[in-house]
């Protein structure tokens, strides 16, 4: 089909929406390393995981071989309220940059929670409900996951307890209130409501908290209350499975117009949006059917892929969670209070870590002020106010498009625009006032934290 027939927005019909999630692990020759029991260092069994997570989600977590999981009808119905998300051809941006590159982005910010996280929140809440639980506990960093989970829980009539990283709780009061609109119970973390919270407060008085701390508190809360399980919005393989809906929709929409991306770019915090976006494309790459350049973008303040090591580590600061083999900066790493809160995690999905280690994808890190400049340029030309996390991908996509301008190559660039920035205006304000800083950890900071990794 000829170029000028491609619309600004490519939507799928309801009937074209994915009916099954795709499990990329099924096509990986080198499977991600198993989660380990921190006490015995043996792979976690379904029974052990079932004490923390819902049973059906444990099955998904441990399954490295089944390529497709049917999406239950109730979840597909919920998806229909805000999906398919638009795949946008960034004609305006291309023109502004004067690049021969063709730029597409998949926009996941068109729902009240404002990000892709709702795709997994509804799935996890659904399986908790199916199991007859009373409620779930979780952590939230920037607030997007907590909001998404609150929405999913209120829809299904489940109780939702959210431990929110303290600096976000203070920086983003409106996020907190949205969660309360949806009936969630929100506690700033570290808090004195859990043993692990009290321990972290004693060790790091005045800390603004981190995702790792909040995870420890949420897990402790779930395992100490009957009828509750813990749910996690990123990092885990089950989350990436649910997020494959992003990539499946994107691929179907592109195929309608005979378009194939050359470069696929996504921001990476725990890796779920990137993993979901690339899943069907990476599957083709692993099966030798196609080739794509895939780039993970992380903040220079929390550079797990680009400066971390591929090792077994704890997922949480309190060391109550299983060990995962992943690119990590060490679970004791305390990232600076970067405004891309959703990217402030010390580790990375074990699926993406294995793919990166095997050379199937690349990673870059970018600085906060450059990210906000790209975000603002993008808002002015494409209209959408992007989340700081998503803007890491914007910056990298623009850099690649400018490289095409130099070389004259007509590459097709696809990136994930994971959310909106309406709740990040305090960060935009800092940027406008010229008081935004770029805190990059020193080699000594990283070495000190890596030195504390468990010996496995
Ligand atoms: C949480 C979040 C991210 C990062 O999480 P991943 O699991 O790496 O996808 C990125 N963008 C937005 C808007 C988020 O809310």
């Amino acid at each position: 089909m000829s170029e000028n027939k491609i619309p600004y927005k490519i939507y799928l019909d309801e009937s074209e929406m994915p009916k099954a999630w795709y499990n990329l692990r099924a096509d990986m020759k080198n499977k991600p390393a198993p989660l380990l029991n921190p006490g015995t260092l043996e792979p976690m069994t379904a029974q052990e995981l079932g004490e923390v997570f819902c049973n059906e989600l444990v099955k998904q977590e441990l399954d490295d071989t089944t390529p497709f999981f049917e999406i239950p009808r109730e979840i597909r119905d919920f998806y229909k309220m805000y999906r398919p998300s638009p795949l946008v051809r960034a004609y305006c941006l291309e023109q502004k940059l004067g690049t021969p590159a063709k730029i597409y982005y998949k926009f996941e910010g068109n729902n009240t929670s404002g990000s892709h996280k709702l795709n997994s929140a509804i799935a996890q809440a659904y399986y908790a409900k199916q199991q007859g639980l009373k409620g779930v506990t979780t952590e939230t960093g920037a607030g997007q996951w907590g909001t998404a989970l609150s929405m999913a829980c209120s829809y299904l009539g489940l109780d939702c307890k959210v431990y929110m990283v303290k600096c976000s709780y203070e920086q983003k009061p409106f996020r907190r209130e949205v969660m309360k609109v949806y009936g969630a119970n929100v506690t700033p973390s570290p808090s004195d409501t859990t043993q692990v919270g009290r321990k972290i407060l004693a060790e790091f008085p005045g800390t603004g908290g981190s995702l790792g701390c909040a995870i420890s508190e949420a897990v402790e809360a779930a395992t100490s209350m009957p009828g509750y399980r813990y749910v996690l919005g990123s990092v885990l393989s089950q989350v990436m499975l649910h997020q494959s809906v992003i990539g499946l929709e994107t691929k179907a929409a592109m195929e309608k117009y005979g378009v194939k991306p050359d470069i696929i770019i996504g921001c990476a915090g725990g890796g779920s949006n990137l993993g979901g976006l690339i899943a069907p494309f990476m599957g083709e790459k692993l099966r030798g059917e196609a080739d794509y350049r895939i780039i993970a973008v992380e903040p220079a303040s929390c550079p797990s892929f680009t400066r971390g090591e591929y090792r077994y580590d704890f997922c949480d600061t309190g060391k109550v969670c299983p060990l995962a083999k992943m690119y990590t900066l060490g679970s004791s790493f305390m990232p600076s209070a970067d405004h891309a809160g959703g990217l402030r995690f010390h580790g990375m999905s074990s699926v993406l870590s294995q793919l990166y280690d095997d050379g199937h994808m690349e990673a870059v890190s970018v600085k906060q002020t450059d990210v906000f400049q790209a975000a603002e340029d993008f808002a002015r030309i494409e209209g959408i106010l992007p989340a700081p996390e998503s803007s890491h991908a914007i910056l990298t996509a623009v850099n690649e498009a400018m490289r095409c301008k130099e070389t004259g190559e007509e590459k097709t660039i696809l990136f994930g625009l994971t959310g909106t920035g309406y709740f990040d205006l305090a960060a935009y304000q800092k940027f406008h006032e010229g008081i935004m800083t770029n805190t990059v950890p020193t080699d000594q900071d990283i070495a000190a934290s890596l030195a504390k990794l468990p010996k496995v």
Side-chain angles (χ1 to χ4, degrees):
M1 199 169 279
S2 83
E3 181 64 20
N4 54 19
K5 294 242 178 76
I6 296 173
Y8 274 68
K9 284 205 185 86
I10 308 179
Y11 280 105
L12 295 175
D13 295 334
E14 266 180 23
S15 62
E16 297 169 311
M17 284 172 63
K19 296 185 178 57
W21 293 300
Y22 167 58
N23 182 12
L24 178 58
R25 288 170 285 166
D27 281 309
M28 290 171 67
K29 274 199 203 83
N30 295 332
K31 304 292 182 193
L35 296 171
L36 299 185
N37 178 312
T40 63
L41 300 184
E42 291 295 319
M44 290 289 287
T45 63
Q47 196 189 352
E48 289 167 332
L49 283 170
E51 288 162 21
V52 180
F53 300 107
C54 307
N55 298 336
E56 202 54 38
L57 294 167
V58 169
K59 271 193 214 151
Q60 295 179 355
E61 191 64 31
L62 294 177
D63 193 326
D64 284 346
T65 53
T66 307
F68 289 97
F69 284 82
E70 193 190 327
I71 307 174
R73 191 189 46 77
E74 293 87 339
I75 299 176
R76 276 190 278 145
D77 287 346
F78 186 88
Y79 279 170
K80 283 178 194 162
M81 290 195 281
Y82 70 99
R83 307 199 68 80
S85 68
L87 177 68
V88 183
R89 172 74 188 269
Y91 283 116
C92 301
L93 179 63
E94 289 168 18
Q95 201 176 15
K96 174 84 190 235
L97 298 175
T99 175
K102 299 170 184 64
I103 308 175
Y104 293 81
Y105 58 90
K106 179 75 164 163
F107 181 47
E108 292 290 323
N110 265 342
N111 67 75
T112 293
S113 77
S115 82
H116 65 286
K117 295 212 169 63
L118 194 55
N119 302 331
S120 185
I122 186 62
Q124 298 194 42
Y126 170 82
Y127 292 118
K129 182 79 180 175
Q130 286 291 98
Q131 199 175 317
L133 298 177
K134 262 193 245 159
V136 291
T137 71
T138 199
E139 78 299 326
T140 197
Q144 287 98 324
W145 167 246
T147 312
L149 189 69
S150 308
M151 288 174 70
C153 285
S154 70
Y155 178 76
L156 294 167
L158 278 174
D159 185 38
C160 180
K161 296 194 192 306
V162 180
Y163 288 85
M164 184 169 187
V165 176
K166 193 185 275 166
C167 65
S168 295
Y169 186 90
E170 286 157 5
Q171 275 171 9
K172 300 188 176 187
F174 295 149
R175 270 274 169 217
R176 199 171 74 205
E177 295 310 314
V178 180
M179 287 187 251
K180 290 183 184 169
V181 166
Y182 289 97
N185 181 303
V186 189
T187 308
S189 166
S191 76
D192 58 9
T193 66
T194 62
Q195 275 179 22
V196 62
R198 290 189 288 272
K199 188 161 162 257
I200 292 166
L201 280 175
E203 203 176 330
F204 302 97
T207 174
S210 70
L211 268 184
C213 299
I215 294 174
S216 304
E217 291 206 86
V219 170
E220 183 184 320
T223 49
S224 57
M225 286 183 297
Y228 281 78
R229 289 292 185 283
Y230 166 70
V231 294
L232 180 60
S234 181
V235 189
L236 294 175
S237 304
Q238 57 185 270
V239 182
M240 202 176 127
L241 174 72
H242 306 145
Q243 296 297 356
S244 69
V245 69
I246 304 172
L248 293 165
E249 278 183 10
T250 304
K251 194 152 183 293
M254 287 189 135
E255 280 172 359
K256 265 179 128 169
Y257 290 90
V259 179
K260 250 181 176 313
D262 297 300
I263 308 174
I264 309 174
I265 299 167
C267 62
S272 75
N273 87 83
L274 176 67
L277 175 67
I278 68 173
F281 299 101
M282 182 63 93
E284 285 188 331
K285 183 165 166 153
L286 295 178
R287 297 190 301 270
E289 298 164 8
D291 198 15
Y292 303 99
R293 232 186 108 199
I294 293 170
I295 310 174
V297 192
E298 53 188 18
S301 61
C302 194
S304 326
F305 268 141
T306 50
R307 296 177 66 196
E309 286 183 6
Y310 190 32
R311 302 263 298 272
Y312 266 106
D313 191 11
F314 292 95
C315 292
D316 60 321
T317 317
K319 306 183 178 176
V320 298
C321 287
L323 295 167
K325 190 175 177 196
M326 57 186 175
Y327 274 85
T328 181
L329 296 164
S331 65
S332 62
F333 182 76
M334 282 281 177
S336 67
D338 191 287
H339 290 285
L343 305 182
R344 291 176 79 231
F345 184 64
H346 64 273
M348 188 55 69
S349 142
S350 59
V351 177
L352 292 190
S353 292
Q354 185 62 45
L355 292 167
Y356 179 67
D357 205 58
D358 286 339
H360 297 302
M361 53 185 279
E362 309 164 26
V364 294
S365 74
V366 291
K367 285 197 184 140
Q368 178 161 243
T369 48
D370 297 340
V371 166
F372 274 80
Q373 188 60 57
E376 191 160 281
D377 293 345
F378 180 82
R380 290 181 185 184
I381 191 71
E382 285 286 319
I384 294 171
L385 175 70
E389 292 88 351
S390 324
S391 305
H392 287 67
I394 296 175
L395 172 61
T396 305
V398 166
N399 288 344
E400 289 298 328
M402 293 311 282
R403 196 162 301 157
C404 288
K405 187 174 177 176
E406 277 166 33
T407 61
E409 286 173 293
E410 290 184 28
K411 294 242 162 88
T412 297
I413 300 171
L414 163 68
F415 72 91
L417 190 68
T418 50
T420 63
Y422 286 111
F423 291 109
D424 299 286
L425 290 168
Y428 276 94
Q429 184 184 357
K430 283 222 167 94
F431 176 66
H432 293 146
E433 290 172 355
I435 53 172
M436 178 172 278
T437 53
N438 289 308
T439 318
V440 179
T442 63
D443 288 342
Q444 289 93 313
D445 292 338
I446 294 177
S449 149
L450 287 174
K452 291 189 209 149
L453 284 186
K455 308 269 175 295
V456 176

